[in-house]
Every structure is written in structure tokens, then in C-alpha cells.
Amino acid sequence: MEDGLYVIIAGAGKVGWNLARELLEKGHEVTCVEQDRRRYLTVEQELEHAVQYGDATELWVLERAGIQRADLVVAVTGDDEDNLLICQVAKEKYLCERIIARVNNPRNLDHFKLLGIQPAVSATDLILRLIEHEVPRYGLVHLLDLPEERLEIIELVVSETAPAAGREIQNLGLPEGALVISVLRGGSGFVPKADTVVEAGDEVLVVLDPGIEQDITDLFVGETAHG
């Protein structure tokens, strides 16, 4: 494996902890910053020196965590304002090239986009997926389920005969409640725009409301998928 990344994760809640565990297992270097003392002590039993106690919105805490050399900063606290602030500081003061923010309340998504914080993800565990697509050096096996958001994520390989092949995302006629969040093509992933043309062989990742899987499968794989 090539040299690992150095990732700072703000927030050691369920998402931050799982993310840290996954990244450490893959050989990356991780520092988790958690400001709730009880939570910190719990997580420290497993992560040991990979977790620090402190408020990641404070510059000295970020500096102690080594933000100057971080390849990636992921803000996954339960507070959107904190996540926004941490990402802005990482990006503007420390010139960190890659930042990912968790948006707990989808209504705040526009604020993140306005301030140029991309990708901001509202479905918590898509973060793992985004990192995987940005860091093709390691494969992630599972997508964590998102019970609290009542969403499902499915991955499909676009077939030659699929209605979606050769069409722009905006012209696919995606059903209400479905969103294409990433396309993997030729080994590299990207977040598609409205005018991105779907090609046969693309692996598409779709977030959707439960119950419309078949419509999505018909669109990207074709009618043959029924049996």
C-alpha cells in the first residue's frame, strides 16, 4: 500500500468513531478530536492515542492534532455550525485541500455550499464512500445503513441496453426521492453534475427512499433485472 493519508476527524460520535476505525484498519493515520469528556474516555479505550480531548473549533486544539500536515479534515460533530467553522478554518487558514463536512440538518446544506464547503453530505455514512472515491488507494466494502435518515444506498453497473446509457443525469427522469451521488468510471470516482452523461459500464451510487429500487434498477440496468 502506498503511503497512507493523515486524516483529522472532528467528532467521535458513532460516525466519527466508525470512520476512524475503518481508516486505521486501512493503514491511514488518524486523529479524532472529541469535546465531550465521557465520550472521549469511551472512545479512547479503543482508539488510544488516535483520539484527543478538546473542542475542534479552537485553533490550538486543531494545531495540537497536527492540522498543518493533514491531508483530509472530516467534520462530523452533531453541530452544523461547528462543522462549518472547522471546515472553513481548515480550508482557509491551514489550506487543507480536502475537507468533508457532515450536515445534520439538510436545511443547512445551502449554507455549506455557499461557503464553498464541498462535499457537504447530509447522509452521515456517505462520508466513507466519498473518501473511498477520492482515495482510490483502498477499497471499502460496506456501505453503512442509514436507518435514521430512512434512506438506502444502492450501487449499480450501467448496462449497454439500459435506458440511462448515453443520457444526461437531468434527462433520466429519476423518480422523486432518488439522487445519483457518485459515478465510478475507469477506476476514478466523481460527483456527477446535471449534464453528466451516464455511460454503459459506469458504476453509479444512488441514494433513494425505500421502495423505489426497482424503478432505479430498470433505469440503469434495464428490464432484464427482474429475474
Side-chain angles (χ1 to χ4, degrees):
M1 182 182 196
E2 294 177 50
D3 293 342
L5 296 177
Y6 180 44
V7 185
I8 291 178
I9 301 173
K14 191 179 71 172
V15 180
W17 192 351
N18 282 330
L19 197 55
R21 187 187 284 132
E22 294 270 351
L23 290 169
L24 286 164
E25 280 174 10
K26 307 289 180 192
H28 296 288
E29 186 189 348
V30 177
T31 297
C32 233
V33 180
E34 173 54 54
Q35 63 175 351
D36 179 86
R37 183 133 191 99
R38 284 175 60 186
R39 181 70 188 169
Y40 159 75
L41 291 169
T42 305
V43 175
E44 193 211 17
Q45 290 173 5
E46 184 195 332
L47 296 185
E48 297 176 344
H49 62 275
V51 62
Q52 293 182 4
Y53 175 56
D55 180 350
T57 61
E58 295 185 27
L59 297 185
W60 71 271
V61 172
L62 288 174
E63 290 187 356
R64 181 186 66 187
I67 193 165
Q68 297 90 331
R69 63 184 187 87
D71 298 299
L72 172 65
V73 172
V74 185
V76 286
T77 75
D79 185 314
D80 284 352
E81 286 179 14
D82 283 0
N83 290 346
L84 200 54
L85 184 61
I86 292 160
C87 283
Q88 271 184 292
V89 167
K91 184 180 170 188
E92 286 159 27
K93 184 170 170 62
Y94 298 104
L95 308 179
C96 184
E97 284 176 26
R98 290 179 49 203
I99 50 178
I100 293 176
R102 172 192 183 185
V103 186
N104 300 282
N105 181 346
R107 287 196 193 97
N108 292 331
L109 205 51
D110 288 344
H111 298 302
F112 282 79
K113 291 193 171 140
L114 241 127
L115 290 161
I117 291 173
Q118 296 283 19
V121 279
S122 57
T124 51
D125 301 306
L126 295 181
I127 294 166
L128 281 170
R129 202 63 200 201
L130 278 166
I131 291 178
E132 178 205 7
H133 280 181
E134 298 245 356
V135 189
R137 286 203 288 271
Y138 74 88
L140 268 179
V141 211
H142 62 282
L143 295 178
L144 304 177
D145 54 332
L146 310 170
E148 67 274 33
E149 270 108 357
R150 306 257 278 290
L151 289 171
E152 291 176 18
I153 308 172
I154 56 173
E155 188 166 33
L156 302 155
V157 177
V158 181
S159 71
E160 299 278 348
T161 55
R167 285 163 67 183
E168 293 183 353
I169 298 265
Q170 60 195 356
N171 298 331
L172 290 180
L174 280 169
E176 190 71 29
L179 179 66
V180 179
I181 54 155
S182 80
V183 176
L184 196 58
R185 179 180 296 163
S188 64
F190 59 93
V191 177
K193 300 185 176 67
D195 60 356
T196 297
V197 176
V198 176
E199 297 177 6
D202 285 354
E203 281 180 51
V204 294
L205 202 67
V206 186
V207 183
L208 47 100
D209 291 334
I212 55 173
E213 294 94 331
Q214 195 55 57
D215 296 346
I216 299 295
T217 306
D218 290 348
L219 190 57
F220 288 102
V221 183
E223 303 289 342
T224 52
H226 285 284

